[in-house]
Amino acid sequence: MLRNRSPDKYIFLVNYLGGVLTLDESSKITGKELFSNVCKCLGVREYWYFGLQYESLKKEPRWLRPNSKVYRIIRKNNAPLFFLVKYFPEDISTVVDKVSLSLIYNQCKGSIISGGIYCPPETSILLASYSLQSDQGDWAHVDYDSLRLENLLPKTVLEQYTMSRQSWLDSLLGWHKDHEGYTSVESQLEYVRITQQLGMYGVNYFNTTWLGSPAWIGIHPRGINIYQDNMLVPKTGLKWVFIRMVHYTCKKFVVTPVMESASPYIFCMSSLRKTKQVFELAVGYHHLYLRVRSISVINHTPDEFGIRSQEDGEKFKETSEEICENPTAVRLPLKNGNKKISKRIISKNELPVLNEEEEALLM
């Protein structure tokens, strides 16, 4: 993951779904700078969907922050870096960059095959046929005898039915013939479009306590879900349009609805770090929600990463400032026991209104 070339130069290895990038960078490089360089190398133009992820010493996935010193974090955790989708698009048809589409497609495909996203058997066969069309072309050019079903279908689906290998291949071939003539990009679009209809698409789950009972809170492109009985069907769903404000105080994450008569939703998280992660994802997804509806998509060149016009920035700040307010946090009494933690809370809640470059990377 890290190789020493000189006292001030290191080779960073960044994994992505499709290969590994080798970057010769300064040991003082920040997360923002490394992220920008990775986007340039891969040709990613719609960079706001992605982020750099690493694994902590506790084996928990964490996203690299823009101002963090990458070398220190990686040396401390001794973990590889991954360039992954951080914020999934609400509607894949809004993605115009082929590289971004390919990365989103590969991550959705990997999540479905590994079981990270539950997919019914019938839908999984349809998706597998689109995957074959995207990766290998029309059915007449595919050697079905050499196909490995475990690379196309979830293990749970293969174990659910006592079907022979030939029966699975016949089902795949029947669907594959229907996609004849589809290009790789068209097949990937259809694959992700179907995946978006699945209940677990783009949902980030966190264990929490809600109303005194164990639950999961799910942050996703359309809003915030609350799960209790299972992780497929939410007990309560809150769309962004119905949410006026999100904030947190220590281990409590609070969602305030637009309706003044409605009570706020209060979630008790296991740690302050978890609360911050939930808050950052909520703000990031809300920013993406506003971008799609309020700001026209700009065709960026590689040199324009992290740069947005002042007019767009002002509009973005104006439309998003309400959800990022936290008047309760700044009123916390600064007693000796919680003086330090209160400052951290105030600082974190001011995150969405940092300068435009950092805000762009958060998105």
Side-chain angles (χ1 to χ4, degrees):
M1 190 280 316
L2 281 176
R3 298 177 189 168
N4 193 348
R5 279 181 59 107
S6 68
D8 297 325
K9 286 284 186 177
Y10 278 84
I11 295 179
F12 293 84
L13 302 181
V14 181
N15 301 270
Y16 67 97
L17 296 177
V20 180
L21 278 180
T22 304
L23 300 175
D24 189 0
E25 303 289 353
S26 167
S27 59
K28 298 180 180 179
I29 193 170
T30 63
K32 177 174 61 177
E33 295 166 342
L34 183 62
F35 176 80
S36 178
N37 291 343
V38 171
C39 289
K40 292 176 184 177
C41 291
L42 293 178
V44 175
R45 296 167 64 186
E46 294 175 283
Y47 57 89
W48 44 85
Y49 296 117
F50 303 93
L52 290 172
Q53 190 180 86
Y54 66 96
E55 195 175 66
S56 69
L57 293 175
K58 296 181 179 180
K59 304 302 180 182
E60 296 177 346
R62 295 178 184 172
W63 295 101
L64 194 64
R65 296 198 48 74
N67 293 329
S68 300
K69 298 295 183 181
V70 182
Y71 174 76
R72 294 179 183 175
I73 291 178
I74 299 308
R75 291 281 292 188
K76 176 182 178 181
N77 294 276
N78 191 28
L81 279 173
F82 294 92
F83 183 81
L84 297 171
V85 180
K86 184 176 182 180
Y87 303 109
F88 285 85
E90 180 183 354
D91 182 2
I92 192 60
S93 62
T94 60
V95 178
V96 296
D97 176 27
K98 293 181 180 179
V99 178
S100 300
L101 171 62
S102 178
L103 291 169
I104 295 171
Y105 156 76
N106 283 327
Q107 193 158 329
C108 288
K109 177 182 173 182
S111 297
I112 288 176
I113 294 176
S114 66
I117 297 178
Y118 171 76
C119 184
E122 299 80 3
T123 307
S124 64
I125 296 176
L126 175 60
L127 290 176
S129 65
Y130 276 115
S131 175
L132 285 174
Q133 182 68 26
S134 171
D135 300 341
Q136 302 190 37
D138 290 339
W139 65 274
H141 306 294
V142 178
D143 182 9
Y144 269 79
D145 292 333
S146 63
L147 290 180
R148 300 184 62 181
L149 291 175
E150 60 270 22
N151 293 336
L152 295 170
L153 297 168
K155 183 179 179 180
T156 53
V157 172
L158 294 173
E159 293 176 347
Q160 188 173 350
Y161 294 92
T162 56
M163 292 174 58
S164 66
R165 170 182 167 81
Q166 191 58 46
S167 298
W168 285 112
L169 293 178
D170 290 341
S171 297
L172 277 173
L173 180 59
W175 281 110
H176 196 177
K177 288 182 177 180
D178 291 341
H179 313 324
E180 187 172 7
Y182 278 48
T183 65
S184 178
V185 172
E186 291 172 340
S187 301
Q188 290 177 4
L189 273 172
E190 289 301 321
Y191 189 103
V192 181
R193 187 174 288 118
I194 295 172
T195 305
Q196 288 179 328
Q197 307 305 315
L198 302 177
M200 299 179 74
Y201 166 79
V203 182
N204 294 270
Y205 294 93
F206 297 89
N207 288 316
T208 185
T209 301
W210 178 57
L211 299 179
S213 302
W216 294 279
I217 181 172
I219 314 297
H220 62 95
R222 295 181 177 87
I224 299 175
N225 287 343
I226 306 170
Y227 304 84
Q228 283 192 316
D229 300 327
N230 58 70
M231 302 175 75
L232 284 176
V233 182
K235 182 80 171 180
T236 303
L238 300 170
K239 294 185 177 180
W240 294 123
V241 69
F242 299 121
I243 298 176
R244 181 174 66 87
M245 179 173 60
V246 296
H247 70 274
Y248 68 90
T249 303
C250 294
K251 297 181 182 180
K252 289 185 178 181
F253 177 70
V254 183
V255 179
T256 305
V258 172
M259 295 181 59
E260 295 183 358
S261 58
S263 301
Y265 294 82
I266 302 176
F267 306 92
C268 297
M269 312 302 297
S270 59
S271 66
L272 177 61
R273 182 180 291 276
K274 285 290 184 183
T275 313
K276 290 180 178 181
Q277 291 177 358
V278 174
F279 176 78
E280 286 186 22
L281 282 170
V283 172
Y285 263 128
H286 183 260
H287 280 184
L288 187 61
Y289 174 85
L290 293 176
R291 169 183 281 274
V292 173
R293 289 160 175 77
S294 304
I295 302 176
S296 59
V297 177
I298 302 173
N299 291 326
H300 294 277
T301 62
D303 291 333
E304 292 172 329
F305 284 110
I307 300 176
R308 189 164 55 232
S309 69
Q310 183 176 359
E311 181 180 354
D312 283 347
E314 291 300 324
K315 180 191 292 186
F316 198 83
K317 180 178 178 182
E318 179 182 351
T319 53
S320 63
E321 63 183 2
E322 180 70 7
I323 198 170
C324 302
E325 289 180 2
N326 185 1
T328 60
V330 298
R331 296 194 189 107
L332 284 176
L334 298 180
K335 298 180 181 179
N336 294 333
N338 64 356
K339 182 175 182 180
K340 182 177 180 180
I341 198 171
S342 298
K343 288 184 177 179
R344 292 169 63 189
I345 291 173
I346 295 171
S347 175
K348 181 61 69 172
N349 280 293
E350 292 173 351
L351 177 67
V353 291
L354 291 175
N355 62 59
E356 293 180 3
E357 293 184 0
E358 292 172 345
E359 184 178 290
L361 285 175
L362 175 63
M363 294 168 50

